[in-house]
Amino acid sequence: MKKPEWACPSGKSLLILRMVKEMNDLKYLKLLSKQYPNIPAVSTEIINLKAILNLPKSPEHFLTDLHGEYEAFQHMLKTASGLIKFKIDQIFTGVIDADKKELATIIFYPEDKLKKLKESEEELTTEWYKTTLERIIKLCKVISSKYTRSKVRKALPENFSYIIEELLHLKGENKNKEGYRDEIIKTIIDIGQAEEFIISLSNLIQTFAVDKLHIIGDVFDRGPAPHKILDTLQDHHNCDIQWGNHDILWMGAALGQKSLIATAIRTTLRYGNLDLLEEAYGINMRPLARLARSFYKNIDCNNFCPKLIDEELDQQDKNITSKMQKAIAIIQFKLEGNLIKRRSEFNMNEALYLDKIDYEQGTIKLDGQEYELNNTDFPTIDPENPYQLNQQEQEVINQLSYSFKNNEKLQEHARFLFNNGSMYLKYNGNLLFHGCIPLNEAGDFSTIEINGELYQGKKLLDFFDDVVRKSYSYKFEEKDYRDWLWYLWRGELSPLFGKDKMTTFCRYFIDDKSLHQEQKNPYYQAREKEAICNKILNEFNLDPEEGHIINGHTPVKEKKGETPIKGNGKLLVIDGGISAFYQPKTGIAGYTLIYNSDEMRLISHKPFVSKEAALEGGNDIISSMRIVELKKKEKIADTDIGEKLNNKINNLMELLQAYKKGIIKEKYE
Ligand SMILES: O=P(O)(O)OC[C@H]1O[C@](O)(COP(=O)(O)O)[C@@H](O)[C@@H]1O
Ligand SMILES: [Mn+2]
């Protein structure tokens, strides 16, 4: 059979191909020439970009599993996980510790700390303002030196931009300009603007300390204020998110996926965070409370009692929260039952419970064995038709679904998560994801068949990434993409969940602890081995010699001797439990990671007590800093952005040649 022409181009078609390419190149260069119309313009940009390539790589900050702990998160952000204090110690070697601590606290919380200092009997003298300003300027200079002038300029506060730019770019050794600088500082103090400058410069230091913030999932659930974390992230200058299972839960709920709405509400009530729904988001919970009150009269708290840290609810609130939790849990189990039956390809029949209950005996039969239920009050379940919502339940879930879908704030947060998030991220040679890459016992990528096609490894994550985006794009149509978000929340091969099953029903209703077990995916054992980590990096086309996997989701139990560094240093698990509920298990209050131009540094944190304590300067929450890897001084040229800049430089060089050869005519205004 004659080969199709494109399979092996003849000499003539090769010539045609080359001509087409040249024409396209020329078209592109002509477009580029609109931006850089002559030799001086294009030369300036080439010089500028080449200089940027030689700047040191700017710092990346990695946080994960924030679980609504806003205050601890804020502190990590403001302090850049200890990086700012570390720089202060490096720069001000001759300054006493107390002063360095004070300086650090001013930079982290400038308004509050200044107020506190003024309230104490000591007066803030001109000398104090001068020293403080000089130190802050010095630190700001060092921290901003990794950026181009234009980037620094763009970040400057409007009011003082000219003066701050002057101060930041005056060279210390320039004797001629010393008087000039001193006069600027003196005038700032004389005209009563010192505090404004201290605040502006402190904010600038916080901005520059970290260039890129990565959130490796799970902003929501357990803690009280995920909404405040999201508000902060929305305002951040440069942040990305790798979705966690708890984020997908809320994203799906925001799109009106009813099983996820029920689950999000149940989890919120379980941790006593009714205020999050009612006050922060303004979702009306009265219909659910009414239903709970009318059906679950005799609840004795037990397994539905909210988990609290400081007993912040009184008995009456605890009772109603428990009733509501049970009411929404039953709605969840019913909705999930219908979903599992509708989506047989999810293969989740083992999560069907309500049809296995003997409602007269108060027992349940699972895998041929009978178990006693510890609670047999199911006033809304019709044993003949256990998955059918009764009328009141139907009304409540419809009302909640309407509220979720039409809640402006929740929709704004969901939009942010969809737009700025992904299933995984490849960034500067590293691979970031929340949960796992599903593996089988043999250490091979697990395969899932969807509509006759097989997915595994990277292809599986790409499939889910695509489905999540489609669920958002088609949110107003009754397409079934949203069901996949539920699968991602709790399905066996969900890379965000990474466990064989979720045993919520058994945890509530059966005392036998063996039924509460959730088996982790074999990935979690396998990742201890370097070869497996390398295999995963290769699967994602990353260089195992250079790259690392950065993982969240499973709290590292440091107390039990577990280490966050796995696979011979190839993989870092940075979930150390910022969530207050996990701290007894982990023994610490979270890990964070800083990736600088010369090292990767893992920081473990002590529990964050309060902002008040932080303002006193006594709350240094860093418990240890470990250098995971020393790097050769990396430059922007070595990063992903460097690669893009290099491409641009190549194009500009071609444009320069085209001007020189007269292929494209220069334009001068
Ligand atoms: O702590 P709770 O509310 O009992 O939740 C337990 C559930 O949370 C999960 O651990 C998932 O949450 P994480 O992603 O934080 O691990 C489930 O596997 C488990 O069933
Ligand atoms: Mn998780």
Side-chain angles (χ1 to χ4, degrees), residues 116-124:
K116 220 173 173 65
L117 284 171
K118 283 193 291 183
E119 277 164 10
S120 70
E121 63 261 54
E122 277 171 57
E123 205 193 319
L124 298 181

Side-chain angles (χ1 to χ4, degrees), residues 103-275:
L103 181 65
T105 316
I106 291 172
I107 291 165
F108 305 152
Y109 300 98
E111 285 102 339
D112 296 304
K113 184 67 185 177
L114 283 168
K115 189 160 163 248
K116 220 173 173 65
L117 284 171
K118 283 193 291 183
E119 277 164 10
S120 70
E121 63 261 54
E122 277 171 57
E123 205 193 319
L124 298 181
T125 60
T126 304
E127 198 46 40
W128 184 90
Y129 281 118
K130 182 169 180 282
T131 314
T132 306
L133 271 171
E134 278 176 346
R135 286 180 184 158
I136 291 190
I137 291 164
K138 190 165 179 184
L139 181 65
C140 197
K141 253 181 171 178
V142 172
I143 289 190
S144 64
S145 65
K146 291 193 168 185
Y147 304 95
T148 58
R149 257 185 190 228
S150 107
K151 189 158 178 168
V152 174
R153 193 174 302 133
K154 279 183 202 143
L156 294 177
E158 250 175 55
N159 293 346
F160 306 122
S161 61
Y162 174 73
I163 300 293
I164 294 181
E165 206 181 344
E166 282 292 290
L167 290 169
L168 292 184
H169 292 106
L170 281 176
K171 295 268 180 294
E173 63 276 10
N174 190 339
K175 285 268 176 258
N176 297 335
K177 290 226 166 158
E178 239 172 45
Y180 173 68
R181 193 205 55 174
D182 288 351
E183 193 52 39
I184 295 181
I185 293 179
K186 183 173 176 301
T187 313
I188 288 173
I189 301 168
D190 287 349
I191 61 172
Q193 292 298 302
E195 290 185 14
E196 303 303 321
F197 269 82
I198 290 174
I199 294 168
S200 293
L201 286 161
S202 298
N203 291 336
L204 214 53
I205 291 172
Q206 284 185 31
T207 308
F208 286 136
V210 166
D211 187 37
K212 183 78 176 168
L213 177 65
H214 305 289
I215 306 288
I216 312 185
D218 278 1
V219 171
F220 276 103
D221 291 329
R222 302 202 174 101
H227 60 295
K228 289 193 188 169
I229 298 179
L230 282 162
D231 285 345
T232 307
L233 293 178
Q234 278 179 317
D235 288 341
H236 192 273
H237 57 279
N238 198 359
C239 127
D240 55 60
I241 294 159
Q242 293 71 58
W243 299 312
N245 47 338
H246 290 271
D247 306 317
I248 283 290
L249 166 62
W250 282 80
M251 288 154 71
L255 296 189
Q257 211 293 341
K258 288 181 179 164
S259 303
L260 292 178
I261 293 176
T263 310
I265 293 174
R266 182 185 62 74
T267 317
T268 306
L269 294 170
R270 183 165 164 76
Y271 283 86
N273 291 323
L274 189 58
D275 283 358

